[in-house]
Amino acid sequence: MTKKKLRSLCLAAVLGIAAFTGVCSYDAGAGSDVHIINVSYDPTRELYESYNKIFQEHWKEETGQDVDVIQSHGGSGKQALEVINGLQADVVTLALEYDINAIQDAGMIDEGWKEELPDDSAPYTSTIVFLVRKGNPKNIKDWDDLIRDDVDVITPNPKTSGGARWNYLAAWAYAQKAYNNQEDKMEEFIKKLYQNVLVLDSGARSATTSFVENGQGDVLIAWENEAFLSVQDDPDEFEIINPSISVLAQPSVAVVHEVAENRGTEDIAKEYLNYLYSDDAQRIAAENYYRPVNEEILKEYSDVFDLTMELKTIDDFGGWQEVQEKHFADSGIFDQIYGN
């Protein structure tokens, strides 16, 4: 398939789905024998830009075949909906297990996808931290500072963004501990926090843009990797604050079996995800500020990541199905506290 045809395919995907806001990009040159589409969430752009290059080399060495990888990025929940509505993803690499389960429920991903790869099909992890202005002028140290009257918060919308749901759950974990599981006080804490949010962007990257480029807010609740990238780009303007408690965010990956089988790309789609666990890919994840699931490689980056943080897992909240129904479904806790 020629580069021109690939561009046409990407353009057709954008034009054919009115709500599609992701960005298509290309890796490898013209004359590739096959292409696959990876539908991902907002903050993985840099990660997959690097990963796709080594995967192309790996696939070429293994099969003699050239491959193009087309990327799409946007809010995780919205990306899942686009796939369900027809966006032809060979693989999905999304922020939440819940979003992949939604695609499974639509009949496009086989049951048992979570067991197809190690570590619950989560080849890298992250957590939630605070990004503040250099010098931390508002002296923000922990979650309770985010409900002060003088603090403006930036965080995306948990109805559309997977990262935003992790943000919300990290705050909920703090409230659980601070208020000894008294739900009325926990809900009041979350309500005060969201009353301080200036705007709910649709995805994590757009929230970062609001804080970093547009100068809005005093603190950004952010993916750890997003915060590191912002500091890397402008160390004189920003710094990271690690809260006392956060979450172990496990972005999930899966083959979209219906699409891959129809397109004849199932083998390459499976290897694309499997190779994420290779040593080279794990180090690329770390260099892009995602935490490798390979413990030995993670230790190599102990000077980068705070490995002493108290991190809650999704199981501590009852799993994604319970979390969705309780917090993020229509008329759930988020709707109640944000709508009032």
Side-chain angles (χ1 to χ4, degrees):
M1 178 172 285
T2 66
K3 198 77 160 183
K4 183 176 180 180
K5 287 182 179 177
L6 280 173
R7 291 194 184 96
S8 297
L9 175 64
C10 185
L11 182 60
V14 176
L15 296 179
I17 301 175
F20 177 51
T21 59
V23 176
C24 289
S25 61
Y26 304 92
D27 301 274
S32 296
D33 298 322
V34 65
H35 75 269
I36 59 172
I37 299 176
N38 174 13
V39 173
S40 196
Y41 65 107
D42 261 338
T44 60
R45 300 166 196 262
E46 294 81 6
L47 168 62
Y48 282 106
E49 181 179 350
S50 297
Y51 172 70
N52 289 343
K53 293 174 183 176
I54 69 163
F55 176 74
Q56 288 162 343
E57 294 171 0
H58 166 70
W59 189 252
K60 180 74 170 181
E61 289 174 2
E62 292 293 313
T63 68
Q65 187 179 49
D66 290 319
V67 58
D68 271 328
V69 182
I70 301 173
Q71 287 295 136
S72 168
H73 298 275
S76 186
K78 192 170 185 180
Q79 291 288 78
L81 183 61
E82 300 298 354
V83 174
I84 292 168
N85 287 339
L87 180 58
Q88 294 289 290
D90 299 273
V91 299
V92 286
T93 56
L94 298 176
L96 306 179
E97 171 190 330
Y98 180 84
D99 291 330
I100 295 183
N101 283 337
I103 303 172
Q104 174 192 287
D105 292 343
M108 302 177 70
I109 293 177
D110 294 346
E111 292 186 13
W113 66 267
K114 193 175 173 182
E115 287 74 47
E116 288 187 2
L117 292 164
D119 300 288
D120 296 328
S121 290
Y124 42 80
T125 68
S126 190
T127 189
I128 302 304
V129 300
F130 304 152
L131 186 69
V132 299
R133 312 291 172 189
K134 190 70 172 182
N136 194 10
K138 291 295 180 75
N139 195 30
I140 294 167
K141 296 181 179 179
D142 213 341
W143 291 99
D144 56 342
D145 293 312
L146 273 55
I147 66 171
R148 290 174 8 211
D149 292 341
D150 65 329
V151 172
D152 290 328
V153 177
I154 300 296
T155 184
N157 189 342
K159 304 289 275 191
T160 57
S161 166
R165 294 185 192 188
W166 288 117
N167 293 356
Y168 175 104
L169 289 177
W172 187 262
Y174 175 86
Q176 277 185 318
K177 190 171 183 178
Y179 300 108
N180 196 27
N181 282 308
Q182 298 178 65
E183 291 229 355
D184 57 336
K185 293 184 177 180
M186 293 158 59
E187 290 182 22
E188 184 61 27
F189 174 85
I190 296 294
K191 182 174 182 177
K192 287 181 180 178
L193 192 159
Y194 279 90
Q195 285 174 340
N196 282 353
V197 175
L198 291 180
V199 61
L200 286 177
D201 289 295
S202 62
R205 182 56 58 91
S206 55
T208 300
T209 298
S210 293
F211 183 77
V212 171
E213 297 183 16
N214 300 339
Q216 296 179 293
D218 301 303
V219 57
L220 171 69
I221 308 176
W223 287 101
E224 184 177 49
N225 64 289
E226 281 285 273
F228 269 117
L229 288 174
S230 297
V231 172
Q232 176 183 283
D233 289 343
D234 206 338
D236 294 330
E237 291 294 328
F238 305 105
E239 62 184 83
I240 294 171
I241 303 296
N242 293 320
S244 64
I245 189 170
S246 193
V247 291
L248 179 68
Q250 293 178 288
S252 300
V253 303
V255 174
V256 183
H257 298 97
E258 181 182 89
V259 174
E261 289 171 6
N262 288 342
R263 295 190 60 241
T265 56
E266 196 167 21
D267 287 345
I268 188 171
K270 287 179 178 178
E271 184 59 15
Y272 182 79
L273 300 183
N274 184 65
Y275 197 61
L276 284 165
Y277 293 85
S278 68
D279 287 356
D280 286 345
Q282 289 284 288
R283 289 190 174 93
I284 281 178
E287 288 161 9
N288 284 275
Y289 304 110
Y290 285 90
R291 298 183 178 213
V293 292
N294 182 314
E295 290 292 336
E296 292 302 314
I297 294 177
L298 177 60
K299 289 176 184 176
E300 295 176 16
Y301 293 86
S302 59
D303 60 332
V304 176
F305 303 110
D306 180 359
L307 303 183
T308 66
M309 291 177 67
E310 180 182 354
L311 302 179
K312 297 294 184 180
T313 71
I314 190 62
D315 291 337
D316 291 320
F317 306 101
W320 273 115
Q321 192 61 40
E322 181 176 326
V323 164
Q324 175 65 22
E325 292 173 1
K326 178 176 181 176
H327 295 277
F328 306 123
D330 291 345
S331 300
I333 289 176
F334 178 75
D335 279 357
Q336 294 172 34
I337 63 102
Y338 195 69
N340 295 322

